[in-house]
Each structure stands twice: as structure tokens, then as C-alpha cells.
Amino acid sequence: MDPRSTADPAPSTAHERPVQVNVLLFAVAGAVTVANIYFPQPLLAAVARGLDVSERTAGLIASAAQIGYALGILLLVPLADTARLRRLTSVLLALTTAALLVAASAPGVVTLTLATLALSTTTVLPQILTPVAAVLAGPGRQGRVVGLVGLGLTLGSTLSRTVSGAVTDASGTWRTAYLVAAVATAALLCVLPRRLPERLGAHGGTSYAGLLAGLPGLLAAHRALRVSALLGACVFAAFSVFWAVLAFHVAAPPLGYGPGAAGLFGVSTLPAALLSATAGPLTDRYGAPLVSTAGLGLAGLGLGVAGLAPSSPVGLVVGANLLVVGVSSCQVANQARIFGIGREVAARVNTVFMLATFGGGALGSLAGSWLYAEHGWSAALLAAGVFVAAGGTVLVRSAREAAPSCVPDGTREAGGIRPRIPQGES
């Protein structure tokens, strides 16, 4: 079905430029939309002051974003396997824009939390665009394409904190950041839907209820999906603990920084975000388990540095970079496992994986905010370390289960990855 699969080199060359342009657009669109989940994090202290609520209450906004994203992944992303992508994309972008405008004008924390829940539910385009990009790329190019889209998501999640903090400092109100996000999201309506294929897979046959009902069966049938889901939940929980409480930590004495400075910690992790792009080729060469193990080690090291130097901006920046590159590398390796399961279920296996990942993120945000309010920075980072250790347990157990096989689970055509032997375990 893929026109680039022909053996004729002329058609392949003719099609390569449009595909590259589309993938770059997907990366930008993913960065803009995933930013809607993360840009409020450095604003939480300002929101608490502006709405006259406690820091613990303001932390519910970060948890609502993660919960809403998980709901959207569960209820909306499976549609990408059968729905008309252009229509689905347009509707989601319009609903997200409307929810951002409601959040910008929210009179209280309840309205803001509900609006955050709504906008994060509909801003799930990154998890639709990733399998679409993989299918458009075709065999042999999926790893690079998914890596590029993933880099866009990493940059969007990190730089959004910087932009929102700077906008809030410049305007004097956190509401402006929501308005900027609404404008950026609405702008995608003019470009993105027209550059998508009409459909990802075959239409008809499976109802919406059938798509959702089949998700547990995918999890039960594929060990690769179970491993990636558990590991994704653990590492993203640790990631969310750190970023959910960082704004509070740097705003408190002895640092005493404002939202703008808190947001700068996002741009300070740009080297880590760029470095994480190497995780794809490394997974191609060495396999997902090894890259996941290295990622967990880097994430744990980053948390240790941040915990040992809580009042040092340099120490916090180093810790944040190590955490970002570690978690991002795990994410690439996890998706490398699941995209070898089959194109016809690409969106649904991504649904299961991302649902587990952002469910872990919601748990991490909630646990981090509560622990920081009750016991401070060290207690929150200790909880993040526990999540990392749990991820290590998942890897050890999966390695033992896979011991009879010569190839780690999920290396067969995972994200376009060539297996080390012709047949691998799925």
C-alpha cells in the first residue's frame, strides 16, 4: 500500500521530499500540542498566588493535565486506526483551543482545573501523529522518523516551560501563557489537517466500542507491550515528580526565583533533549533493553545530583539534563518495542503504552506535590528514585522471562529496527 515500497528508485526519490516535509510538520505539531500539557508547570506558584490557593491545591492542575491526557489517549487515540484523520485532527485542535481560552479566563482554581482536564484530553495529537508518521515512512525508515517526531515532543515538553515562564514574567500574569498556547494551537488548524492522509488503516469492520474493548487483549497478547507499558509508567512518574515540584522548590528560599527563572530550567535541558535523538540509532544497534537500562541509570543519577545539591542552580541544571536524557531514551526504546507488533494496530498499541505512561505521570505529579508540601524537596526526589528503581525491577524481570530467546523481545521490525536474526519474539 505504501508507494515508497516499490523497487523502482525513481518513485522512491520522488516521494522522499514530501515525506520529509510531512514528518517535520508532524514534529512541530507534536511539539506545539504536547506543550499544552507541560507549560503550566512553572506557573503553579504564580497560579497559587493569583488565585489565592495553596501550593498543594495548585498542584492539582498538573495532575489534571496528566489525567486528562491519559483519558484522551484511551478514548481518542484508538480512533486513528480507522477514523478519517483530517476530520479527527480538526475537531481535536478546535476543542483544545476553546479549552485553553476558558483556562485563560478562569475565575478560580476549580474552573482552571476542569479546563486543564478538558484541554489535555483533546490535545492528544502527538500520540496520533507518531504511528501515522511510522506508517507513512515505511519499512527501513520508521526508526528515524519516530525518533524525529519524538525529538519534537521532547523539545515541546521542555521548551514550553521556558516560554510560559518568560511570557508570564513579561506580562505579569499567568493567563497570557494560556492565550499564547491557544493561538499556537489554532494556527495548526490552517496547516496540519491538509497534510495528513485520509486514513491510517482500513475503515469499517471495527466499531468504536470494539476498538476500546480490544485494548486489554493487546496487552495480554504481547509481552513487549507489557514491558514497555510498565517501564514507561515508572520512568514518567519519576520525571513528573521532578518537574511538578521544581517550580515550588526554586521559588522558595534560599533560591527565591520567579516563574521566568523556573522556566529557564526547561531551556537548560535543551542539550539533553537533542542528545536523546541518539537513542534511536543506539536502540537499532544494541537493542531496547540495553538502552532502557542506560536511560534508567541516567535518570537515577540526575535525581541524585539534584537531591545532593538542592540549593545549587548548576546542580539542578545538571540533574535536570540527566533526567531528561534518561527518560527520553527510555521512551524511544519503549516505542521501539511496540511498533513491531503490527501496523493495523499501531495506534492502539501506542494507546496502551501511552495510557500507562501518562497514568504514571499523573501519579508522580500527585505524589510529588503532596510530598513536597508535607516533607520538602528531598522527600519528593526520594519518591522519584523509588519509581526509577521500580523500572529497574521491570527490566530485570523481563530479561529473565526473555532468557530462552536469542533476541530481546520487540526487536523484530520495532519502529523500523532491523532484527539481529530473521525472527524475533513478539
Side-chain angles (χ1 to χ4, degrees), residues 145-163:
V145 167
V146 171
L148 180 58
V149 176
L151 178 60
L153 303 188
T154 302
L155 292 176
S157 64
T158 54
L159 296 181
S160 63
R161 300 180 179 95
T162 302
V163 173

Side-chain angles (χ1 to χ4, degrees), residues 103-406:
S105 59
V109 70
V110 174
T111 303
L112 180 58
T113 301
L114 292 176
T116 300
L117 182 67
L119 72 90
S120 58
T121 300
T122 56
T123 191
V124 290
L125 272 181
Q127 307 314 324
I128 293 175
L129 295 177
T130 301
V132 169
V135 169
L136 291 178
R141 300 181 67 237
Q142 289 179 335
R144 287 177 292 169
V145 167
V146 171
L148 180 58
V149 176
L151 178 60
L153 303 188
T154 302
L155 292 176
S157 64
T158 54
L159 296 181
S160 63
R161 300 180 179 95
T162 302
V163 173
S164 65
V167 167
T168 298
D169 272 358
S171 64
T173 174
W174 55 267
R175 298 179 188 274
T176 308
Y178 281 89
L179 292 174
V180 170
V183 171
T185 303
L188 291 177
L189 268 170
C190 304
V191 182
L192 183 61
R194 293 182 297 173
R195 304 304 297 271
L196 290 171
E198 184 63 21
R199 294 183 186 276
L200 179 60
H203 65 282
T206 304
S207 65
Y208 175 67
L211 290 174
L212 297 184
L215 296 178
L218 290 173
L219 189 63
H222 300 285
R223 184 176 64 86
L225 183 56
R226 294 194 297 273
V227 171
S228 288
L230 286 172
L231 183 56
C234 291
V235 297
F236 206 66
F239 183 84
S240 297
V241 168
F242 181 86
W243 288 106
V245 303
L246 180 64
F248 298 133
H249 177 65
V250 300
L255 295 174
Y257 296 148
L264 285 176
F265 279 92
V267 75
S268 72
T269 60
L270 182 59
L274 296 174
L275 184 60
S276 67
T278 63
L282 289 174
T283 303
D284 287 349
R285 181 167 185 144
Y286 299 108
L290 184 59
V291 174
S292 296
T293 301
L296 282 176
L298 290 172
L301 181 60
L303 293 171
V305 171
L308 292 174
S311 301
S312 168
V314 174
L316 292 175
V317 167
V318 171
N321 272 273
L322 290 169
L323 180 64
V324 167
V325 72
V327 172
S328 298
S329 297
C330 283
Q331 182 84 332
V332 170
N334 285 330
Q335 288 190 305
R337 289 186 185 92
I338 66 173
F339 280 128
I341 293 175
R343 288 187 175 190
E344 67 280 359
V345 293
R348 277 169 281 175
V349 296
N350 200 42
T351 293
V352 175
F353 168 65
M354 296 308 303
L355 181 63
T357 297
F358 283 91
L363 176 62
S365 295
L366 187 62
S369 298
W370 184 84
L371 284 170
Y372 180 82
E374 293 292 330
H375 304 290
W377 175 250
S378 296
L381 291 193
L382 181 60
V386 170
F387 286 125
V388 170
T393 302
V394 171
L395 280 178
V396 170
R397 290 178 62 87
S398 68
R400 290 176 179 171
E401 291 174 1
S405 175
C406 297

